[in-house]
Amino acid sequence: MTAVSPLLEVHDLHVSYGRVEAVQGVSLSVGAGQIVSVIGANGAGKSTLLGAIMGALPSRGRVEYAGRTLAHTPLESRVAAGMTLVPERRELFSSMTVEDNLRLGAYTRRREGAGDLGGVFTRFPRLEERRKQLAGTLSGGEQQMLAIGRALMARPKLLLLDEPSLGLAPLIVREILRIVAELRDAGVTVLLVEQNARAALAISDFGYVLEGGQVRLSGPAADLAHDPAVVASYLGTGK
Amino acid sequence: MLGPVAFSLSAPSLASKGLALNIFDPAIFPILTADGLTNGAVYALLSLALVLVFAVTRVIFVPQGEFVMFGTLTLASLQLGRVPGTLTLLLVLLAISTVLNVVEALRRGDGRAAGLAAGSGVALGAGVWALTTTLAAAKAPLLVQVLLTLLLVVPLGPLLYRVVFQPLRNASVLVLLIASVALHLVLVGLGLVFFGPEGSRTPAFAEGNTALGGVTLSNQSLLVILVSAVLMLALYYFFDRTLTGKALRATAVNRMGARLVGIRPTAAGSLAFTVAALIGALSGLLIGPSIAVSYDTGFLIGLKGFVGAIIGGLVSYPVAALGALLVGLIESYASFSLSQWKEVIVFTLILPVLLWRSLSSKHHDEEDE
């Protein structure tokens, strides 16, 4: 499929909530150094898929990361191994300062020193201005930046982003996706889950379309963006 | 003099003698205040432990006072040259937690971790056993006995967490509370078995008195206040400045967020229980010289710390500490003028606080995960 070697491979993943199977046998592959996006409507199982890959939800199937099968590996060990998830709900430490949130992002690297606080501030100057402010007092866009910044503090090899554009103004969405593209150029592999299909495919190398918990379509992002079925269902005709 | 349950340092009970009782008498007020602060300092420490454990693990830790009791009575046993029953409890808990760890590692298919867990469990148990039996028979100096007491009581915190609360970590607050009450009853019972029904005192760490601006305080009281203050400052530093302390706070603020940055909730819970046991054991050592502690004393002491913690809404450390100091002061004044109503007054205090909190604070649903 892709020429690059895969960093993450998912084979036949199933996730159930009680009797409802939210993810039904999804297989996907994320090449090292790529942005791969998963697009789909609300309730297609996108967030569940990311949660299961990260180990936050119990699942059946095989997840391989950097050539290792993650079976009984708990979420926290996956973080230590270089996977980080920026969840849709962001899950910030709202009553702690921006700086404390970031420093805690480097928790798994605490033996190696402070982590890359300067690097995150260079990427998100807004966070440096607000470093002493409580995370809960930030605007939505700033909270999203903080959530991504906190994830970057762990110096991840694989960044899982769940709906980073949700609820944000178009200008800020563009800014955040630009930074995601920069991260790829800096060597971070990204698995991006988005409802905003047009914006996601524009920066992605490869894409999957999820419907009802199953992969309906997949292909290079540029092809998907012109696929008539995708255009009709997810991109619409307007802007 | 005092019943085994009474907890009053030295406030003289004059009510029975029919004297005019004015707590604001300039000769008496400072003494009562000093007494109240001494008790209050210990309650404040316990309230901090309760808030910490609840915030990190959602356990309302009823047996906090039992760590106090184990602290005093373990030292008292060592003073008598006996091997304290605490050792038995520690070894049993260590054995159970080792088995749990080995089984868990084997289930993961990690043979090396299983071997490591088994080996370290056996080595730790053997080491503590050898050290305790040797030092107990040798009647070691007081400081060594104090350190040995801490070595025996503090690990009970993380071990009880591993054996009782870690398997229940996804249970509701109510289930955790029920487990907590059960554990309290078990520990009180074990206290009776290990140490007998009699109360014991431990020797004072500081002799003599110091006059401070017209008030004479025993050096022991000063030591209690000083050690409590230092411990609180140390806790403040730990939570505000160190990454480990911040990780504990982060777990309390947002458990999922903490997991996403790689903080294990079980490690955080274990650490919270370690700090709680340390605070409890130190409190027991601090009050041991002032009051006769028996197997059932811990509950009432812990409960007063709990009143402080409730005043702080189980979330605010400074408010909890101030509330606990207030409990100590009120108890001291009440024990002087209305000694038979002392406990009634102290625990009635919680009613207006709860009423005020229920009216003023927003209702929080149980944290969704």
Side-chain angles (χ1 to χ4, degrees):
Chain A
M1 174 207 88
T2 38
V4 284
S5 63
L7 182 63
L8 177 80
E9 274 195 283
V10 176
H11 300 281
D12 195 26
L13 196 74
H14 296 259
V15 188
S16 304
Y17 294 109
R19 273 192 215 149
V20 183
E21 197 170 44
V23 172
Q24 308 170 356
V26 168
S27 299
L28 58 82
S29 171
V30 181
Q34 290 192 325
I35 297 180
V36 172
S37 49
V38 176
I39 59 177
N42 227 340
K46 307 188 300 295
S47 296
T48 307
L49 174 67
L50 276 198
I53 291 173
M54 197 62 206
L57 297 169
S59 60
R60 285 183 297 121
R62 199 163 84 239
V63 177
E64 257 176 54
Y65 166 74
R68 248 180 63 211
T69 303
L70 308 174
H72 298 285
T73 316
L75 196 167
E76 302 84 23
S77 307
R78 298 185 195 206
V79 175
M83 296 170 72
T84 50
L85 169 67
V86 180
E88 193 184 316
R89 293 168 43 150
R90 292 163 196 152
E91 308 287 5
L92 296 171
F93 308 121
S94 52
S95 59
M96 299 175 81
T97 63
V98 167
E99 185 175 337
D100 280 349
N101 269 272
L102 290 173
R103 287 194 186 282
L104 282 164
Y107 182 78
T108 52
R109 304 201 165 264
R110 60 196 182 283
R111 284 177 235 289
E112 301 158 34
D116 190 18
L117 199 60
V120 170
F121 282 153
T122 313
R123 241 180 250 291
F124 301 104
R126 198 92 71 88
L127 294 182
E128 185 162 24
E129 291 163 28
R130 310 237 185 257
R131 67 194 289 174
K132 296 291 172 205
Q133 213 169 307
L134 297 184
T137 66
L138 299 180
S139 72
E142 288 165 346
Q143 290 198 7
Q144 189 60 56
M145 292 177 189
L146 179 56
I148 296 175
R150 185 179 71 177
L152 291 180
M153 288 292 286
R155 281 186 238 143
K157 292 194 197 76
L158 175 64
L159 188 62
L160 309 174
L161 289 172
D162 194 356
E163 305 268 8
S165 76
L166 197 73
L168 302 183
L171 206 66
I172 298 175
V173 172
R174 207 176 308 155
E175 165 79 3
I176 284 178
L177 291 180
R178 182 184 61 76
I179 290 169
V180 173
E182 274 178 23
L183 289 174
R184 181 244 335 255
D185 300 339
V188 182
T189 306
V190 180
L191 178 57
L192 174 65
V193 154
E194 260 295 347
Q195 262 190 79
N196 189 338
R198 185 186 302 278
L201 289 176
I203 60 163
S204 299
D205 300 287
F206 204 84
Y208 291 87
V209 178
L210 210 61
E211 257 179 49
Q214 294 175 337
V215 174
R216 286 286 173 230
L217 275 170
S218 65
D223 298 354
L224 276 187
H226 296 105
D227 186 290
V230 175
V231 171
S233 306
Y234 300 103
L235 301 178
T237 44
K239 294 272 158 184
Chain B
M1 59 167 242
L2 295 166
V5 177
F7 180 57
S8 155
L9 292 188
S10 57
S13 176
L14 297 181
S16 52
K17 295 177 187 153
L19 297 179
L21 300 171
N22 178 7
I23 58 167
F24 296 108
D25 184 311
I28 295 170
F29 188 71
I31 300 175
L32 293 178
T33 306
D35 249 11
L37 288 178
T38 315
N39 287 2
V42 171
Y43 300 154
L45 284 177
L46 295 175
S47 71
L48 295 183
L50 287 165
V51 173
L52 171 66
V53 166
F54 179 75
V56 174
T57 64
R58 300 176 303 130
V59 174
I60 296 172
F61 195 51
V62 182
Q64 179 63 37
E66 270 63 67
F67 287 138
V68 178
M69 175 266 286
F70 272 101
T72 313
L73 295 182
T74 301
L75 182 60
S77 283
L78 289 171
Q79 284 280 309
L80 296 171
R82 291 186 196 144
V83 174
T86 322
L87 179 64
T88 315
L89 177 60
L90 179 67
L91 292 179
V92 169
L93 286 173
L94 187 63
I96 299 174
S97 82
T98 303
V99 170
L100 289 174
N101 289 338
V102 168
V103 169
E104 199 168 271
L106 286 180
R107 251 190 220 159
R108 273 202 317 265
D110 192 343
R112 212 175 128 259
L116 208 65
S120 61
V122 170
L124 274 175
V128 171
W129 177 81
L131 196 64
T132 309
T133 46
T134 315
L135 289 176
K139 287 221 172 188
L142 183 60
L143 184 65
V144 175
Q145 290 184 341
V146 164
L147 292 176
L148 183 60
T149 301
L150 291 177
L151 182 73
L152 287 171
V153 179
V154 176
L156 294 181
L159 287 173
L160 287 172
Y161 174 73
R162 179 67 189 88
V163 172
V164 179
F165 294 106
Q166 189 177 319
L168 294 174
R169 63 185 178 278
N170 295 323
S172 69
V173 170
L174 180 63
V175 170
L176 292 170
L177 176 62
I178 293 168
S180 186
V181 171
L183 181 61
H184 154 69
L185 294 172
V186 168
L187 289 177
V188 170
L190 287 175
L192 180 59
V193 173
F194 292 156
F195 307 113
E198 301 294 319
S200 306
R201 276 172 198 259
T202 52
F205 298 108
E207 305 288 342
N209 299 301
T210 303
L212 281 178
V215 186
T216 306
L217 277 173
S218 72
N219 286 344
Q220 176 65 29
S221 294
L222 278 178
L223 187 74
V224 172
I225 295 175
L226 193 73
V227 171
S228 308
V230 167
L231 207 53
M232 278 184 231
L233 282 177
L235 286 173
Y236 174 77
Y237 179 85
F238 174 66
F239 286 116
D240 201 60
R241 296 294 153 83
T242 67
L243 193 65
T244 310
K246 284 176 185 173
L248 274 188
R249 273 168 59 207
T251 309
V253 173
N254 186 332
R255 196 159 304 142
M256 188 60 204
R259 296 188 65 194
L260 287 173
V261 299
I263 301 167
R264 286 171 202 281
T266 51
S270 186
L271 185 57
F273 271 78
T274 308
V275 174
L278 176 68
I279 286 175
L282 278 174
S283 304
L285 295 172
L286 288 175
I287 60 161
S290 317
I291 64 158
V293 172
S294 62
Y295 71 97
D296 59 356
T297 311
F299 182 58
L300 209 55
I301 301 175
L303 214 50
K304 284 169 189 165
F306 186 67
V307 174
I310 287 293
I311 292 174
L314 279 176
V315 286
S316 165
Y317 295 91
V319 179
L322 285 176
L325 271 183
L326 188 71
V327 169
L329 285 171
I330 289 175
E331 180 192 39
S332 173
Y333 300 138
S335 66
F336 179 70
S337 51
L338 290 163
S339 71
Q340 66 273 48
W341 291 95
K342 183 182 75 166
E343 314 293 8
V344 177
I345 292 172
V346 167
F347 291 116
T348 307
L349 186 70
I350 207 169
L351 293 179
V353 171
L354 285 178
L355 188 65
W356 171 70
R357 287 202 71 87
S358 71
L359 293 176
S360 67
S361 66
K362 282 176 291 184
H363 177 72
H364 295 286
D365 279 321
E366 196 170 305
E367 183 187 349
D368 49 340
E369 302 214 13

